[in-house]
């Protein structure tokens, strides 16, 4: 199982290098905030830390740590995607005419 | 629920991330790409929720609802000019979440009394997650502070810096050893070790970013972005979850690529950015330039612009500070009405995060076709009648070409000094964000339009209208 995960890591890293190699400069900011939103995937880990096999029911410290990490990761996800969309919508208004 | 179905769903969400990220890199598809990546995230979250018998569902709900409200409000309310610090802050939250996942996993070992039996590698990965997550968290907070000028943005260096760094690295390795491989021979209280590691990791983030000067912030932001991906990746190893590893690795490696692009556009090596404290070492160049800056009034600048048939606007962070992007768009429209060709030249590291100026100009509805990159304008810049430099400084500093002693020597710049005339809008003669003198201001063909960039631009627009 461990080796399998390392394998996944290496392939995904190379994929990441390939995907981003040629990006026009004007997209750097949205790309960064968009990929930042993806790093909020930790929310899955946070949810699992409060679920099933991972949790001891009613244990206060587990709940505090888990809830806080769900909270932080969700800010990262929701905020990241929304702000990226807001930026990208501005890039399009130029073609569709004014609507400030 | 069936494990195969769960893993299948995680794979689907990973595929959405890959395609989303790919499309984010293409102008026409970027918005759709972001949406696709968001759908991937939704699939991953729903899968996580149904994959186990969720015990603390009410707390998950509390965390998600509160986080969504905060995130949505922040995303709606932030001004486009403040985008770099917003991204830094979100980044920090991602790091904090990874740290907490690592901590919570360790905590489970203690309450179930399985710490002593746990596999050494798993323990080391927990420590790694805590270190990357913690350093990303505080590093991003410091970057946020520097970008929003809540703390001084210049490079802060202190005596014994290298020594402190070595000390931090050594103590982190020491803690990891005591926590993992040596836990039986040297029976140190493991909870204290974890807390100490968290504290040191947080200190590491601070000492990592604090010596880096404001001019290098675009590099730091992309690097921290990459770290937050690596933190998520490490958290994925902690809980043996594929989708965290894939998504984290995608962000980690794409962040490295972006960091590299930033370094190239500043002609600096990453190690140099991280360890040399840009802007802290040079007080020598002050007053080294001969000549006198030639100020110009709004009226005179108007007369010059009215006669121009080819105008190039070079924006920098000062434009963002003055919120002058709408005014400059209006000026460009007036100039075009007057029969001039108007273009905007954006340096890759203008502003405080990569692509910052493009976002602001897009916000002001500057047509996409008018936004030119540095390589496109430099070859024909001799034919430009007037260059308007608005709030840019280092990216148009000819010392980067001519003065080998300059800290930015070798950095590619927009060669505005080769244009027929340059109008520089600037608040005062103070050096720019990076603190370097700019000989451009003393050139024969340069005119300084002092004052608030927005007011000056609005003044010019008024002249055109009146």
């Amino acid at each position: 199982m461990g080796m399998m995960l390392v394998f996944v890591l290496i392939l995904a890293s190379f994929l990441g290098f390939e995907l981003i190699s040629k990006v026009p400069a004007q997209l750097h900011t949205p790309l960064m905030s968009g990929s930042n939103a993806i790093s909020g995937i930790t929310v899955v880990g946070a949810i699992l830390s409060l679920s099933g096999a991972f949790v001891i029911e009613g244990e206060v410290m587990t709940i505090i740590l888990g809830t806080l990490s769900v909270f932080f990761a969700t800010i990262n996800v929701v905020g990241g995607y929304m702000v990226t969309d807001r930026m990208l919508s501005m890039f399009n208004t130029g073609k569709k005419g004014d609507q400030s | 629920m069936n494990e195969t179905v769960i893993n299948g769903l995680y794979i689907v969400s990973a595929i959405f991330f890959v395609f989303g990220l790919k499309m984010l890199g293409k102008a026409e598809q970027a918005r759709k790409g972001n949406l696709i990546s968001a759908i991937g995230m939704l699939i991953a979250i729903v899968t996580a929720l149904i994959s186990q018998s969720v015990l603390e569902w009410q707390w998950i709900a509390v965390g998600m609802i509160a986080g969504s409200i905060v995130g949505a409000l922040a995303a709606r309310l932030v001004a486009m000019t403040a985008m770099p610090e917003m991204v830094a802050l979100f980044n920090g939250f991602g790091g904090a979440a990874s740290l907490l996942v690592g901590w919570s996993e360790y905590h489970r070992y203690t309450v179930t009394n399985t710490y002593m039996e746990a596999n050494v590698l798993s323990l080391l990965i927990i420590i790694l997650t805590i270190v990357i997550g913690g350093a990303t968290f505080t590093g991003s907070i410091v970057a946020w502070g520097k970008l929003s000028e809540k703390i001084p943005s210049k490079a802060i260096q202190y005596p014994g810096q290298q020594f402190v760094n070595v000390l931090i690295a050594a103590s982190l390795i020491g803690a990891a050893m005591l926590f993992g491989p040596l836990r039986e021979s040297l029976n140190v209280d493991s909870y204290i070790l974890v807390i100490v590691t968290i504290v040191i990791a947080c200190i590491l983030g601070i000492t990592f970013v604090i010596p880096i000067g404001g001019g290098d912030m675009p590099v730091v932001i992309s690097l921290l972005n990459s770290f937050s991906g690596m933190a998520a990746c490490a958290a994925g190893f902690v809980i043996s979850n594929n989708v965290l590893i894939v998504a984290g690795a995608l962000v980690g490696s794409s962040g490295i690529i972006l960091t590299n692009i930033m370094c190239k556009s500043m002609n600096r090596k990453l190690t140099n950015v991280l360890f040399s404290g840009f802007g802290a070492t040079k007080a020598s160049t002050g007053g080294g330039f001969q000549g006198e800056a030639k100020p110009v009034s709004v009226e005179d600048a108007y007369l010059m612009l009215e006669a121009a048939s080819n105008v190039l606007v070079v924006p920098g962070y000062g434009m963002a500070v003055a919120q002058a992007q709408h005014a400059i768009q209006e000026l460009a429209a007036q100039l075009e009405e007057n029969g001039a060709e108007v273009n905007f030249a954006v340096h890759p590291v203008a502003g405080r995060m990569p692509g910052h100026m493009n976002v602001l100009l897009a916000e002001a509805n500057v047509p996409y076709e008018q936004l030119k990159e540095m390589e496109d304008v430099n070859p024909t810049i001799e034919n430009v009648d007037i260059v308007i430099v608005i709030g840019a400084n280092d990216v148009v500093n000819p010392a980067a070409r001519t003065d080998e002693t300059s800290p930015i020597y070798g950095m590619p710049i927009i060669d505005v000094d080769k244009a027929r005339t340059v109008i520089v809008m600037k608040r005062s003669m103070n050096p720019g964000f990076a603190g370097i003198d700019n000989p451009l201001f003393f050139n024969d063909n340069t005119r300084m339009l002092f004052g608030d960039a927005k007011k000056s631009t609005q003044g010019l627009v008024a002249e055109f209208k009146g």
Side-chain angles (χ1 to χ4, degrees):
Chain A
M1 185 64 182
M3 272 329 278
M4 203 57 209
L5 294 177
V6 174
F7 193 60
V8 169
L9 166 70
I10 292 170
L11 285 182
S13 303
F14 276 108
L15 189 56
F17 284 128
E18 286 303 312
L19 284 177
I20 302 304
S21 51
K22 275 214 173 71
V23 175
Q26 72 266 17
L27 285 176
H28 282 162
T29 294
L31 178 68
M32 199 169 287
S33 78
S35 64
N36 181 29
I38 296 180
S39 72
I41 188 70
T42 310
V43 72
V44 166
I47 290 170
L48 292 179
S49 79
L50 286 175
S51 308
F54 291 95
V55 83
I56 302 94
E57 201 166 6
E59 213 275 322
V60 177
M61 194 62 186
T62 309
I63 292 175
I64 294 176
L65 292 174
T67 308
L68 271 180
S69 73
V70 170
F71 173 67
F72 280 130
T74 308
I75 296 180
N76 192 182
V77 168
V78 174
Y81 281 119
M82 282 183 65
V83 100
T84 310
D85 189 65
R86 205 179 131 201
M87 267 189 271
L88 290 169
S89 72
M90 285 168 184
F91 281 127
N92 292 335
T93 50
K95 290 164 201 157
K96 290 174 195 158
D98 283 21
Q99 42 159 281
S100 62
Chain B
M1 204 187 208
N2 185 327
E3 186 126 350
T4 317
V5 177
I6 297 295
N7 280 325
L9 285 170
Y10 281 144
I11 290 173
V12 172
S13 97
I15 292 172
F16 273 72
F17 288 141
V18 169
F19 276 98
L21 210 49
K22 176 92 193 151
M23 289 164 78
L24 262 178
K26 298 207 177 74
E28 324 77 57
Q29 304 174 322
R31 198 171 179 194
K32 213 196 265 173
N34 187 51
L35 192 65
I36 287 179
S37 139
I39 294 171
M41 185 63 73
L42 191 66
I43 296 174
I45 291 173
V46 172
T47 310
L49 287 172
I50 60 172
S51 66
Q52 309 272 345
S53 54
V54 176
L55 290 183
E56 304 291 352
W57 61 271
Q58 69 276 47
W59 290 107
I60 294 178
V62 166
M64 293 197 82
I65 291 168
S68 301
I69 292 172
V70 173
L73 282 180
R76 298 281 315 221
L77 299 179
V78 62
M80 280 298 137
T81 46
M83 200 50 76
E85 46 265 44
M86 189 85 257
V87 172
L89 208 53
F90 285 156
N91 223 3
F93 291 154
S98 297
L99 181 160
L100 290 164
V101 169
W103 183 354
S104 149
E105 180 71 1
Y106 162 72
H107 185 77
R108 191 173 63 84
Y109 283 130
T110 60
V111 282
T112 53
N113 270 322
T114 47
Y115 167 65
M116 277 302 173
E117 293 93 67
N119 161 331
V120 173
L121 201 59
S122 312
L123 293 177
L124 288 180
I125 292 169
I126 288 178
I127 289 289
L128 188 67
T129 308
I130 289 176
V131 171
I132 305 180
T136 306
F137 174 55
T138 51
S140 301
I141 298 293
V142 173
W144 167 78
K146 285 195 173 217
L147 289 165
S148 53
E149 316 234 331
K150 291 195 169 49
I151 54 176
S153 61
K154 66 177 176 33
I156 298 170
Q157 292 195 309
Y158 48 91
Q161 196 162 351
Q162 298 301 338
F163 178 70
V164 171
N165 289 339
V166 170
L167 202 67
I168 288 174
S171 51
L172 283 176
I173 293 171
M177 288 300 126
L178 288 175
F179 183 73
L182 302 177
R183 76 198 129 142
E184 273 158 33
S185 42
L186 297 160
N187 212 348
V188 184
D189 184 348
S190 62
Y191 225 112
I192 292 180
L193 273 179
V194 168
I195 301 293
V196 167
T197 307
I198 292 172
V199 172
I200 301 176
C202 290
I203 296 174
L204 173 67
I206 297 171
T207 57
F208 176 67
V209 179
I210 215 127
I212 300 174
D216 284 335
M217 273 302 147
V219 178
V220 177
I221 300 270
S222 21
L223 196 61
L224 285 169
N225 193 32
S226 172
F227 282 175
S228 72
M230 292 179 198
C233 200
F237 275 97
V238 167
I239 59 167
S240 297
N241 186 299
N242 273 317
V243 77
L244 259 77
I245 296 175
V246 173
L250 286 175
V251 177
S253 56
S254 64
I256 291 284
I257 293 275
L258 273 176
T259 310
N260 197 26
I261 295 174
M262 292 309 110
C263 285
K264 270 194 194 141
S265 18
M266 299 167 87
N267 190 37
R268 313 213 21 227
K269 288 207 179 70
L270 183 59
T271 47
N272 185 266
V273 172
L274 297 183
F275 303 116
S276 78
F278 187 68
T281 47
K282 36 150 203 326
S284 58
T285 41
F289 300 114
Q290 301 300 316
E292 207 179 319
K294 289 166 276 298
V296 67
S297 66
V298 169
E299 292 76 27
D300 291 341
Y302 160 69
L303 293 175
M304 290 159 73
L305 283 169
E306 206 217 352
S309 61
N310 191 343
V311 178
L312 183 69
V313 180
V314 180
Y317 187 67
M319 180 185 81
V321 174
Q323 298 276 358
Q325 64 269 33
H326 296 280
I328 197 77
Q329 185 271 338
E330 221 178 312
L331 179 63
Q334 290 291 336
L335 283 165
E336 282 195 313
E337 215 166 281
N338 193 37
E341 184 190 338
V342 183
N343 286 303
F344 290 79
V346 182
H347 191 277
V349 295
R352 294 199 188 163
M353 88 183 275
H356 190 192
M357 291 302 120
N358 299 87
V359 173
L360 295 181
L361 292 172
E363 184 197 15
N365 289 322
V366 171
Y368 187 73
E369 306 76 48
Q370 285 185 2
L371 297 176
K372 298 286 195 298
E373 295 189 22
M374 175 172 64
E375 306 85 67
D376 301 330
V377 295
N378 271 347
T380 54
I381 203 151
E382 289 86 358
N383 303 327
V384 174
D385 294 321
I386 296 185
V387 173
I388 303 175
V389 176
I390 173 163
N393 189 344
D394 301 321
V395 298
V396 294
N397 190 340
R401 266 199 334 262
T402 54
D403 179 5
E404 281 184 44
T405 61
S406 169
I408 56 167
Y409 180 71
M411 169 172 141
I413 58 158
I414 300 176
D415 297 323
V416 297
D417 53 313
K418 292 184 180 165
R420 297 200 179 103
T421 311
V422 183
I423 297 177
V424 179
M425 292 193 191
K426 214 170 172 321
R427 258 178 303 184
S428 67
M429 281 306 285
N430 290 338
F433 197 46
I436 307 160
D437 277 328
N438 193 339
L440 172 73
F441 303 155
F442 307 99
N443 275 356
D444 284 336
N445 61 345
T446 303
R447 297 291 177 274
M448 305 297 293
L449 183 51
F450 288 115
D452 177 74
K454 187 177 180 182
K455 288 214 183 79
S456 303
T457 312
Q458 283 169 338
L460 287 168
V461 171
E463 290 280 345
F464 268 103
K465 283 185 175 159

